[in-house]
Amino acid sequence: MPISNTSENQVRAGKKAKPKKKKIIFILLIGLMFLAGSSAGAYFYFNKPAGAASEVQKATVPKTTETESLDMGEMVVNLAGNGGGHYLRVKITLEYPKEKKLREELKKKKVQVLDAMIIALRSKTLEEVAPVGASDALKKSLLNVVNNNLDCGEVVGIYFTDYLVQ
């Protein structure tokens, strides 16, 4: 009987040894995964360029400046060249910071600003206003014209709500 007892004890010991080994392997595997994840996280956190963080912050911070708009109405002007056979019809809206002085100045000088814009538009040729991308260059040009006529601030944007070249 002692022989069968020892074989029984060996069988029991073998069964107990297998789950213990699995448990140790499982704990080691989880520890290695945690260590790898921590290392990767630390690498990416500490290895980013110095300028990247400030660029991301600048991109995510919205502008807090409130703006107002002023409808300048519709303008129809003859274009330069070709003996006045072509014209441009635009409806323009100005965007400016919400400042009382600037609002009052724009209302007082609306006629002078309109005159300057009409002169600037009449100096353009068909080739300068007809192409698809021409409106952006025209906006920049008009923005300079408008801001040159102002003393208390600057217009920050010009929008065409109607744009027709004939």
Side-chain angles (χ1 to χ4, degrees), residues 51-83:
S54 62
E55 288 176 16
V56 169
Q57 287 177 347
K58 286 179 185 176
T60 58
V61 176
K63 290 185 176 181
T64 57
T65 306
E66 290 185 46
T67 59
E68 292 181 324
S69 61
L70 176 65
D71 185 17
M72 298 301 284
E74 184 177 270
M75 291 179 249
V76 179
V77 296
N78 290 325
L79 296 173
N82 289 341

Side-chain angles (χ1 to χ4, degrees), residues 14 40 64 71 90 113 115 117 124 128 147:
T64 57
D71 185 17
V90 292
V113 171
D115 183 56
M117 289 171 53
K124 303 296 181 187
E128 291 176 306
N147 286 331

Side-chain angles (χ1 to χ4, degrees), residues 110-121 142 145-146 149:
K110 185 174 180 177
V111 175
Q112 290 89 349
V113 171
L114 279 171
D115 183 56
M117 289 171 53
I118 289 171
I119 292 170
L121 291 171
L142 289 175
V145 168
V146 171
N149 284 289

